[in-house]
Amino acid sequence: MSAKVVKRPNFQPKGVSRFVRTHRFEQSTHLNNMWNNASVNNTSAQNQNNNQSNKTVTLGVTSPISTAYPKPDDIQRTKELEKVLRDYGLFESDEELAHRMEVLSKINQLVKQWIKEISIKKNMPPSVAETVGGKIYTFGSYRLGVHTKGADIDTLCVAPRHIERTDFFSSFVELLRLQPEVQDLE
């Protein structure tokens, strides 16, 4: 088997100036450099000895605003802010947090059950359908730990490639409708 190399003429879309293309290239190069530097920083951070912990390592694109420890005044103001937020009822109780965990656990079970059922319907052997998996991930304010009382939980359902979006919006929605705990499903 041989590969054939085809040379194409330089193509410049109408209305796109050389400056715009160059600027986009410079932006992507800049982003790649930032990503590579962050990767190097992450790798070097993992390789550093615990004795060299005085060096600041930047994880991600931007560096921290400050690496200084909080002053006693900062700690006092943080406590005052937390008190005000508690007085306004913005923090969840332990029972509400436990309820969120139960809901996420139930949804995760439903996703795994649903993926198994759909896999079998798509002629996958039951022994294989048991192992294909699937998972839910949280994101947004809940994942960051900054959600307020009664806020939603943003979740992402990750399924094997043989499960399609149409499967999700048809059969999984029906499975949710069958659950007595589910309300206001649109």
Side-chain angles (χ1 to χ4, degrees):
M1 182 177 194
S2 64
K4 185 177 181 183
V5 177
V6 177
K7 291 194 175 187
R8 297 179 189 259
N10 289 339
F11 175 72
Q12 181 173 350
K14 274 191 170 178
V16 177
S17 69
R18 181 170 156 53
F19 169 76
V20 172
R21 285 182 310 169
T22 305
H23 183 66
R24 285 185 184 151
F25 172 76
E26 289 169 359
Q27 282 181 329
S28 65
T29 304
H30 178 66
L31 292 174
N32 286 337
N33 290 340
M34 287 192 316
W35 175 255
N36 291 336
N37 289 340
S39 298
V40 169
N41 286 343
N42 289 340
T43 305
S44 65
Q46 294 167 354
N47 295 335
Q48 284 183 352
N49 192 338
N50 287 339
N51 296 337
Q52 297 174 342
S53 61
N54 59 352
K55 291 185 179 179
T56 302
V57 176
T58 301
L59 303 175
V61 177
T62 60
S63 60
I65 295 171
S66 173
T67 57
Y69 289 101
K71 298 173 185 160
D73 187 45
D74 295 331
I75 294 172
Q76 178 60 33
R77 288 183 180 178
T78 299
K79 288 179 182 177
E80 291 171 4
L81 177 61
E82 285 179 1
K83 182 184 179 311
V84 169
L85 294 174
R86 286 189 198 290
D87 290 346
Y88 279 100
L90 294 177
F91 289 118
E92 288 187 321
S93 66
D94 291 337
E95 295 83 28
E96 291 168 321
L97 184 59
H99 178 68
R100 282 184 185 269
M101 297 303 291
E102 288 174 27
V103 168
L104 286 170
S105 175
K106 177 74 175 184
I107 291 174
N108 198 33
Q109 290 172 356
L110 288 172
V111 164
K112 288 180 180 187
Q113 171 192 341
W114 168 72
I115 288 174
K116 180 183 169 189
E117 290 171 3
I118 294 298
S119 298
I120 291 171
K121 283 182 185 176
K122 293 188 176 196
N123 298 324
M124 185 176 282
S127 60
V128 176
E130 284 281 338
T131 62
V132 292
K135 190 171 179 170
I136 62 164
Y137 292 93
T138 58
F139 63 97
S141 62
Y142 178 78
R143 178 70 177 156
L144 294 172
V146 295
H147 62 283
T148 57
K149 190 176 192 173
D152 65 346
I153 305 173
D154 299 311
T155 55
L156 172 68
C157 175
V158 178
R161 68 178 62 194
H162 66 275
I163 306 292
E164 299 171 4
R165 289 175 56 106
T166 54
D167 297 323
F168 179 84
F169 288 107
S170 58
S171 58
F172 188 70
V173 170
E174 287 305 315
L175 180 62
L176 286 176
R177 281 198 174 105
L178 296 174
Q179 306 305 310
E181 307 93 354
V182 175
Q183 301 172 357
D184 301 325
L185 184 64
E186 296 178 18

